[in-house]
Amino acid sequence: MKLIIEILLMGLAMLIGAYIIPGVSVDGYLSAITAALLIAFANATIGLILRIFTFPLNILTLGLISFIITVLMILLVDNLMTGFDTTGFLSAAILAIAVSVIKMILDSVFGVEKK
């Protein structure tokens, strides 16, 4: 049940982020959920491999490389999906920040606890 709530909140965060960030568009709530799931899957697979390879550089840049990898995963999903579009790296970077902040707010509002 908690997984379903997390997925729905992540889709809502993606939809809100696409609404407030210029240069990002999502066709609807289902596209937002699909984009969120694909970004999470890309981060868990390709992103993890990239983070392992760039670990020393990630330490030197204090985590900036992990953020860049997340933005690249958003751009990858943008190229894979038709209902989710970003205009470039900057809009994807702002979306990554906005979605994480919105998700944090939604988690606190809906009482989702992290374990």
Side-chain angles (χ1 to χ4, degrees), residues 9-93:
L9 288 178
M10 190 62 189
L12 183 60
M14 184 69 75
L15 191 65
I16 293 169
Y19 179 74
I20 63 174
I21 305 299
V24 179
S25 66
V26 176
D27 285 346
Y29 187 60
L30 186 61
S31 292
I33 290 175
T34 306
L37 286 173
L38 286 175
I39 291 168
F41 181 73
N43 263 328
T45 55
I46 301 167
L48 178 66
I49 294 168
L50 289 173
R51 283 180 183 88
I52 290 170
F53 285 132
T54 61
F55 182 71
L57 188 59
N58 202 5
I59 290 173
L60 289 174
T61 61
L62 303 175
L64 182 64
I65 297 299
S66 285
F67 175 70
I68 291 171
I69 290 172
T70 300
V71 173
L72 292 174
M73 296 304 109
I74 290 172
L75 292 172
L76 175 68
V77 171
D78 173 25
N79 287 327
L80 294 175
M81 278 188 66
T82 56
F84 171 66
D85 293 309
T86 60
T87 56
F89 187 85
L90 184 61
S91 61

